[in-house]
Amino acid sequence: MKTLVWIFLISASLVVTLILNVIYASDEGATHLLLRYQPRPPFLELESGKLSGSCGGPAVRALEEAKIPFTLVANPPFRQLALMQTAEYYDCSVGWLKIPERIGLYKYSDPVCDDGVWLVVGHKGSVDRSINKAETLLKDRNLTLINRKNYSFGEWVDSLAKQYNTKIIYIENAEITPQMFEMIRMGRADYTFVSPWEFEYLLKRFKWAPTDFVVFQPVDNITTSPRHIICSKKVPDEVIRKINQAIQKLSSSVPKTENK
């Protein structure tokens, strides 16, 4: 009986090893990616087992166009970043800004989506309606910015926040974006940055009104924020090249979006 058990265990181990080799190894030039994501409607959504949304959809179409096989894996953002740094597997993730702190850690694709020009959304009792500059808020130590852990508002905002030692609350849970805006609405945080598309989605979903907040487009932060597929250093350069070729081919249909 024990012999049969050992034979079963050895056979099972061989099967698992074979599967891992198929998934993680390069076979005749084809690298199988683990595409890590966290659902965040309307930008990253899972529908019938397929990643969709304004950012997820273009990323998936690019991988399919490039004929690069992938498996979807759901992970929190901080976990995604940590796993990709290990470069143990062919890991990639969708929708990240290119900022100095990450450039040396990951391989970047060309942009697959774009935030457009961000809005400031603030608490009615805290943010003066006469303010029209992001820098004015970031240097005000009486105000608190709210963001998600391990997320960025882009190099320009991040650098100003560091320069002025901006007070920042970082949150981390299953549905972080709605919680952020509810905290602002209730006065537990003062402001954040968001794309017009996400803000419009949140207003509709949670039945908030624009008048529940102070909302403006800062005149000093007018650049768009392109987002990329980022991959571990283990992913071959040739794979990134194929992804970029596919993105360029499909670029005419790539919508703007937001996923920090």
Side-chain angles (χ1 to χ4, degrees):
M1 184 67 178
K2 290 183 178 180
T3 301
L4 291 175
V5 171
W6 278 108
I7 291 174
F8 172 79
L9 291 175
I10 293 171
S11 299
S13 176
L14 291 173
V15 169
V16 170
T17 301
L18 179 61
I19 292 173
L20 289 175
N21 285 337
V22 170
I23 292 178
Y24 299 132
S26 181
D27 181 16
E28 296 181 353
T31 300
H32 194 116
L33 303 180
L34 294 183
L35 188 62
R36 302 186 183 275
Y37 74 100
Q38 181 183 47
R40 186 182 171 190
F43 312 109
L44 294 170
E45 304 182 66
L46 195 65
E47 297 180 349
S48 302
K50 187 170 182 177
L51 190 64
S52 63
S54 301
C55 201
V60 167
R61 288 194 293 273
L63 292 174
E64 291 175 343
E65 175 69 26
K67 295 181 172 53
I68 297 172
F70 63 92
T71 299
L72 292 174
V73 182
N75 294 116
F78 68 93
R79 179 65 174 159
Q80 296 175 33
L81 294 175
L83 287 168
M84 284 187 289
Q85 283 191 49
T86 67
E88 184 175 359
Y89 302 125
Y90 297 115
D91 285 319
C92 293
S93 181
V94 180
W96 295 88
L97 295 172
K98 182 177 281 188
I99 59 175
E101 292 81 359
R102 295 181 190 146
I103 289 175
L105 300 176
Y106 312 103
K107 293 184 178 182
Y108 276 78
S109 76
D110 289 343
V112 291
C113 50
D114 197 303
D115 287 5
V117 180
W118 287 356
L119 302 174
V120 167
V121 177
H123 175 59
K124 289 173 66 174
S126 304
V127 176
D128 191 322
R129 292 184 181 276
S130 66
I131 293 174
N132 64 0
K133 291 185 177 181
E135 185 173 5
T136 302
L137 296 174
L138 292 166
K139 67 182 180 182
D140 189 337
R141 293 282 297 156
N142 293 316
L143 298 178
T144 301
L145 171 65
I146 188 167
N147 194 11
R148 310 154 186 84
K149 185 178 179 181
N150 290 308
Y151 279 28
S152 167
F153 287 125
E155 185 176 355
W156 186 81
V157 173
D158 290 352
S159 63
L160 284 181
K162 184 176 182 180
Q163 175 184 338
Y164 294 123
N165 194 25
T166 302
K167 291 172 60 179
I168 306 176
I169 297 174
Y170 293 101
I171 63 171
E172 173 192 319
N173 67 10
E175 196 167 16
I176 44 185
T177 305
Q179 181 184 344
M180 287 172 57
F181 285 87
E182 184 62 17
M183 289 176 68
I184 291 172
R185 195 177 71 87
M186 299 300 293
R188 294 168 57 198
D190 296 310
Y191 67 102
T192 194
F193 296 87
V194 66
S195 80
W197 300 276
E198 184 169 26
F199 188 51
E200 180 180 1
Y201 169 83
L202 291 169
L203 292 178
K204 291 179 179 178
R205 180 179 175 187
F206 295 97
K207 302 188 185 307
W208 295 323
T211 53
D212 289 338
F213 307 92
V214 174
V215 183
F216 68 92
Q217 189 176 94
V219 298
D220 54 345
N221 185 23
I222 59 175
T223 58
T224 61
S225 302
R227 297 190 175 276
H228 310 254
I229 298 171
I230 62 173
C231 299
S232 74
K233 292 294 187 71
K234 185 180 179 70
V235 174
D237 290 341
E238 176 64 14
V239 170
I240 304 298
R241 186 187 67 80
K242 288 180 178 179
I243 293 173
N244 288 340
Q245 286 182 335
I247 290 171
Q248 293 304 316
K249 183 176 180 180
L250 300 170
S251 60
S252 61
S253 62
V254 173
K256 291 183 178 181
T257 186
E258 190 272 352
N259 179 32
K260 296 191 200 74

